[in-house]
Amino acid sequence: MRALRIILLVIAVFTLAPVEAQDTLPIAEFTDCRMALPDGWVEGQDVECGYLIVPEDRSDSDSPLIELAFAILYAPTDDIYPDPILYLAGGPGGNAITDLETWLEQPYRQDRDLILLDQRGTGYSLPSLNCPELEESNDGATQACRDRLIEAGVNLNAYNSAENAADVADLRIALGYEAWNLYGVSYGTRLALTVMRDHPDGVRSVVLDSVYPPEIRSWEEYGQNTADVFGRLFQACADDPGCNSAYPDLELYFYETIDALNVEPAPYIGIDPDTGNGVDLSTDGDTIVTRIFQLLYSSEDIPYLPWLMNELTYENYAALDDFESGAMFESGMRQSGQDEDVTDSEGMNLSVECQEEVAFLDEAVALNNVPAQPVGLYQNSIATIRSAFTDCRIWNVTSADPIEELPVVSNIPTLVTAGEFDPITPAIWAESAASYLANSFYFLFPAAGHGVVDLSWCSQKIMKAFLDNPTQEPDGSCIDETAVLEWILPE
């Protein structure tokens, strides 16, 4: 069994470490996997699972211990590199190990083991900061979730990027790897950057996909970034002869529709996703803006957006229901038939965002920075920003160390990627992060949304080349072959 060396290491840790030292030594316990395995996979051969035991709060000598779920996906050959890849999910609050099918065909794991970690408070890790109260959108849900977690003894202040990064460093030690490569998407990039800053030992290389760096002022930039990404979408359609001919003056008509629906919501017949039956629904302009914003996450959905917007201007509101709504977290959907709720952890999201972003920002500045036009975007951004600050007042966690709003400076080889139409981590953020990383290579993927490394054969080829030789800039010429948007046009 390929894990024998690791298992022996874990046994040695248990043998040599007294119980009272568990808060200072990283300990890995191998357990049965709790997620569904891909067809044909054998536990112990293709995948092994376990828990990393760490203190909840490393600054408190009496801190309780928490358990962080991990899975090791072994490469399909014995001829592998010794440095695995550690995947860091986004969110904050996304989990990593629920859906193993995602990783089956990725070329970068054909000759490297891939390690998936459910960060503290997420997924199968314990305690879970998942908030079913918020998933049901009840009034007072944020307060109800906070009260429940506090009553259960959870220290909400301990769920942050600094502790998260220490967990990552401890996992490498507990599993016995001399070096590994970090691969972060969205918030996972901020976590990777924090590891680079606080625990650089053993980090061979880093991939930052759709970057969320600490130096940006997210909510103070939110309104302008939203206006910019919608503007880029409309301009891209206008610049394409076929799209412009099919949907002339799309921007004008779309915003007129949004404004009208915000004055008077419209009823329509939708489809119940559970039964397939027709159901009476209604929509307003703000709801449509939110759904379009979410759909911009998906590179596969972007070519359909001019068609969808045009349909909405003709009152075909049911067209919106043909698309699965995008999500603020890009991983962690519940498995079909699964009893446990391991969806994205809203509580972890709030603890990180409120400590590391909102605590350093001015709500009045964020609201004043929202462009007044178009009105439909203005109203949506104002409501979103106010909601974020309100939730953080309720969550009531302490401010992080001021270092969490400073850029990370590092010489570790880093691949930095961004999508042209990413609505939540714009390319300018990736450019900012890369400017402080002396040995970084930056690639912008036109026509892409959020999360680009797994987008195409081209992006995967670039990542594989980087991992094979992280000190040499990968050949990115294939981007030109995949950069054309094939707009969906009426027949």
Side-chain angles (χ1 to χ4, degrees):
M1 183 183 296
R2 280 181 282 184
L4 180 60
R5 178 180 60 83
I6 298 174
I7 292 174
L8 291 175
L9 173 67
V10 174
I11 292 173
V13 171
F14 276 115
T15 302
L16 299 175
V19 172
E20 60 269 18
Q22 287 188 2
D23 60 347
T24 58
L25 286 176
I27 299 170
E29 296 179 333
F30 282 85
T31 64
D32 292 338
C33 293
R34 293 163 62 186
M35 78 293 288
L37 300 185
D39 290 342
W41 274 36
V42 178
E43 192 168 339
Q45 175 179 314
D46 300 298
V47 59
E48 286 195 293
C49 301
Y51 282 92
L52 178 72
I53 313 300
V54 296
E56 182 179 54
D57 181 358
R58 290 176 172 82
S59 68
D60 179 3
S61 60
D62 296 322
S63 172
L65 301 179
I66 61 175
E67 302 177 13
L68 309 183
F70 66 84
I72 304 174
L73 280 57
Y74 293 109
T77 175
D78 290 329
D79 185 18
I80 64 171
Y81 291 99
D83 45 278
I85 301 167
L86 174 68
Y87 172 69
L88 302 173
N95 69 63
I97 67 177
T98 304
D99 186 6
L100 300 189
E101 297 279 355
T102 303
W103 308 102
L104 290 183
E105 303 300 327
Q106 305 300 348
Y108 46 77
R109 66 164 292 266
Q110 301 308 305
D111 51 16
R112 277 187 172 83
D113 294 339
L114 175 66
I115 303 171
L116 309 176
L117 172 66
D118 276 352
Q119 300 159 30
R120 54 174 52 209
T122 74
Y124 292 107
S125 294
L126 300 171
S128 170
L129 269 63
N130 185 49
C131 291
E133 300 91 341
L134 282 163
E135 293 167 8
E136 297 170 2
S137 301
N138 296 326
D139 290 340
T142 302
Q143 186 68 59
C145 183
R146 184 184 191 279
D147 291 346
R148 176 176 55 80
L149 293 173
I150 293 294
E151 184 177 354
V154 175
N155 176 6
L156 299 179
N157 293 305
Y159 293 79
N160 55 56
S161 296
E163 290 284 5
N164 231 352
D167 297 338
V168 169
D170 280 351
L171 182 63
R172 182 184 65 82
I173 295 170
L175 295 182
Y177 292 109
E178 291 187 7
W180 61 7
N181 309 276
L182 305 181
Y183 167 30
V185 179
S186 195
Y187 167 73
T189 65
R190 176 169 292 200
L191 176 53
L193 286 163
T194 307
V195 176
M196 295 166 73
R197 182 193 70 203
D198 295 350
H199 306 279
D201 291 349
V203 180
R204 173 180 175 268
S205 73
V206 180
V207 177
L208 304 178
D209 181 1
S210 304
V211 190
Y212 184 27
E215 72 270 13
I216 55 88
R217 303 183 68 80
S218 59
W219 291 107
E220 291 181 6
E221 301 175 30
Y222 181 85
Q224 187 62 60
N225 287 342
T226 299
D228 288 346
V229 72
F230 272 78
R232 279 195 297 276
L233 178 67
F234 287 120
Q235 190 61 54
C237 180
D239 290 342
D240 181 88
C243 191
N244 186 54
S245 175
Y247 314 116
D249 297 319
L250 178 64
E251 181 174 13
L252 172 65
Y253 292 130
F254 175 75
Y255 286 127
E256 285 182 351
T257 300
I258 295 303
D259 293 345
L261 289 173
N262 277 332
V263 173
E264 184 175 356
Y268 70 98
I269 304 298
I271 300 296
D272 186 323
D274 295 324
T275 66
N277 298 327
V279 59
D280 292 333
L281 298 174
S282 68
T283 191
D284 58 21
D286 189 58
T287 299
I288 289 175
V289 168
T290 298
R291 292 286 299 278
I292 297 293
F293 183 93
Q294 292 171 339
L295 289 170
L296 280 162
Y297 277 68
S298 168
S299 299
E300 293 78 11
D301 288 336
I302 288 171
Y304 290 87
L305 293 183
W307 171 86
L308 174 59
M309 291 174 164
N310 187 65
E311 290 295 302
L312 295 171
T313 65
Y314 284 99
E315 302 183 4
N316 179 15
Y317 308 121
L320 195 60
D321 298 329
D322 291 337
F323 297 86
E324 292 185 5
S325 176
M328 290 298 283
F329 310 140
E330 58 283 334
S331 64
M333 302 309 294
R334 186 187 299 194
Q335 288 281 85
S336 175
Q338 197 163 277
D339 293 331
E340 297 170 283
D341 185 357
V342 288
T343 52
D344 296 309
S345 172
E346 296 86 358
M348 179 59 173
N349 182 276
L350 285 165
S351 281
V352 173
E353 284 290 288
C354 297
Q355 291 182 78
E356 300 176 20
E357 277 297 306
V358 172
F360 297 111
L361 304 179
D362 187 315
E363 182 175 7
V365 171
L367 295 172
N368 288 336
N369 284 349
V370 179
Q373 298 293 332
V375 174
L377 294 189
Y378 172 82
Q379 294 179 184
N380 184 275
S381 293
I382 291 291
T384 304
I385 292 168
R386 283 177 173 161
S387 177
F389 280 85
T390 298
D391 281 345
C392 283
R393 283 190 286 269
I394 295 170
W395 206 245
N396 193 28
V397 287
T398 59
S399 175
D401 187 289
I403 197 173
E404 300 299 346
E405 61 173 347
L406 299 178
V408 171
V409 178
S410 176
N411 292 320
I412 297 174
T414 308
L415 175 66
V416 183
T417 64
E420 178 186 8
F421 295 105
D422 189 335
I424 198 65
T425 57
I428 54 173
W429 291 3
E431 294 168 8
S432 176
S435 70
Y436 297 97
L437 305 174
N439 295 315
S440 65
F441 307 109
Y442 170 68
F443 293 90
L444 174 66
F445 288 82
H450 187 67
V452 301
V453 164
D454 291 335
L455 174 63
S456 68
W457 63 270
C458 174
S459 52
Q460 293 174 4
K461 176 183 176 182
I462 290 172
M463 177 172 171
K464 181 68 169 61
F466 170 75
L467 289 172
D468 288 348
N469 188 353
T471 62
Q472 178 176 329
E473 182 172 6
D475 179 3
S477 59
C478 62
I479 292 177
D480 293 336
E481 302 176 42
T482 60
V484 179
L485 261 175
E486 299 287 346
W487 299 110
I488 304 301
L489 305 177
E491 295 181 358

